[in-house]
């Protein structure tokens, strides 16, 4: 069956703002299967800085560059040419995605795309950028990771509370982990808020098995400027929708468990953990009762 790229994108990433066009491998990395792939996305105007930070990463990098330039335009062709000539390392794969509006969809969809194209079985998702190795030595925190990753490991702070992760904390997980970042549509794109929903979802679905380790300086301030300035009313609405999403996710998790005829000891433990977790974190405007 002959399916166009746009049709394939609509199936694999249904929440990308249409129309979308993808040049999947403008450049492609050489890698070792045991490496950890760094996955991230940037706006096209940040390409120079992103190539510099990617070159310092010790493993492969899957980078999605999002642009509003039309695929047939001179600006788009110049972007492809710039990437092809400026990439001097063998660790980097670059995927250029055209969308009508960068902030018109879910930013998490772009992170998911970078993860989708990762060449290795283990990945680290960076919601904003790879940290500068001068302030956060990659080797210093890579050594803290378990030899075998079985559950998500959030990098940023070692929290013991229900959910108090540092904003924009990266997460290490298997590329084929069953949970992908939620791509819910909101009034506006926000790296910080969209990513918090992703971390929250991973935390819920892990049922207490996810870990968080303290890594100094791995999280910097967000550099994205695509999210428009919004009013306080719009921000309140956005936060209300986020709370509603979380409570609905909790209710669904409870119903899935209750629908089973019998539960194993592990499933019972996970159910009790989720009940406790949901009672602690699903509060605020838009929340619904979690039983």
């Amino acid at each position: 069956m002959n399916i166009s790229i746009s049709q394939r994108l609509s199936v694999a990433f249904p929440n990308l703002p249409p129309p979308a066009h993808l040049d999947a491998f403008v450049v492609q990395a050489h890698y070792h299967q045991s490496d950890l792939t760094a996955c991230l996305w940037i706006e096209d105007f940040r390409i120079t800085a992103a190539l510099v930070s990617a070159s310092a990463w010790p493993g492969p990098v899957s980078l999605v560059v999002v642009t509003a330039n039309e695929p047939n335009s001179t600006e788009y062709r110049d972007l492809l040419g710039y990437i092809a000539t400026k990439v001097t390392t063998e660790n980097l794969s670059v995927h250029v995605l055209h969308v009508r509006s960068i902030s018109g969809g879910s930013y998490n969809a772009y992170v998911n795309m970078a993860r989708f194209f990762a060449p290795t079985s283990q990945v680290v998702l960076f919601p904003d950028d790879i940290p500068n190795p001068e302030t956060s030595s990659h080797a210093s925190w890579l050594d803290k990771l378990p030899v075998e990753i079985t559950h998500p490991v959030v990098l940023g702070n070692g929290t013991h509370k229900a959910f108090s992760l540092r904003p924009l904390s990266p997460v290490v997980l298997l590329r084929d982990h069953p949970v992908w970042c939620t791509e819910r549509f909101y009034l506006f794109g926000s790296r910080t808020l969209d990513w918090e929903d992703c971390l929250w979802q991973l935390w819920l679905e892990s049922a207490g098995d996810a870990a968080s380790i303290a890594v100094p300086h791995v999280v910097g301030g967000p550099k994205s400027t695509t999210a428009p300035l919004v009013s306080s009313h719009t921000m309140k609405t956005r936060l209300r929708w986020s709370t509603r999403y979380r409570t609905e996710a909790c209710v669904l998790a409870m119903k899935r468990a209750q629908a089973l005829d019998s539960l194993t000891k592990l499933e019972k433990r996970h159910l009790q953990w989720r009940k406790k977790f949901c009672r602690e974190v699903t509060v605020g405007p838009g929340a619904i009762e979690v039983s």
Side-chain angles (χ1 to χ4, degrees), residues 133-152:
E134 295 181 0
T135 58
S136 177
S137 170
H138 298 150
S140 66
W141 59 264
L142 286 172
D143 290 342
K144 296 182 179 181
L145 295 175
V147 175
E148 183 177 353
I149 301 294
T150 56
H151 301 287

Side-chain angles (χ1 to χ4, degrees), residues 22-32 36-42 47 50-51 54-55 57 59-66 80 83-84 87-97 110 113-120 130 175:
L22 176 68
D23 279 291
F25 286 96
V26 179
V27 293
Q28 188 166 3
H30 299 278
Y31 63 94
H32 298 288
L36 184 69
T37 299
C39 303
L40 68 155
W41 77 274
I42 60 162
I47 184 63
L51 294 182
S55 65
W57 180 253
V61 177
S62 177
L63 172 66
V64 171
V65 180
V66 186
L80 297 186
I83 293 170
V87 173
T88 58
T89 60
E90 295 185 343
N91 70 322
L92 179 60
S93 292
V94 182
H95 324 286
V96 177
L97 174 69
Y110 307 142
M113 180 174 289
R115 173 182 166 186
F116 179 82
F117 286 117
T120 60
I130 298 175
R175 179 193 56 202

Side-chain angles (χ1 to χ4, degrees), residues 236 239-244 283-288:
K236 288 180 180 178
L239 295 174
R240 185 181 183 90
W241 284 5
S242 183
T243 301
R244 185 77 182 187
V283 294
I288 54 181

Side-chain angles (χ1 to χ4, degrees), residues 162-210:
F163 186 73
S164 59
L165 301 173
R166 187 182 301 172
L168 295 174
S169 294
V171 61
V172 179
L173 73 169
L174 295 175
R175 179 193 56 202
D176 298 329
H177 187 276
V179 179
W180 291 67
C181 290
T182 178
E183 299 178 7
R184 292 171 67 89
F185 171 77
Y186 290 113
L187 294 175
F188 60 91
S190 166
R191 283 187 189 262
T192 302
L193 296 178
D194 286 9
W195 186 247
E196 184 175 307
D197 279 348
C198 176
L199 292 181
W200 185 91
Q201 179 189 19
L202 287 169
W203 211 253
L204 170 69
E205 295 295 339
S206 72
D209 292 330

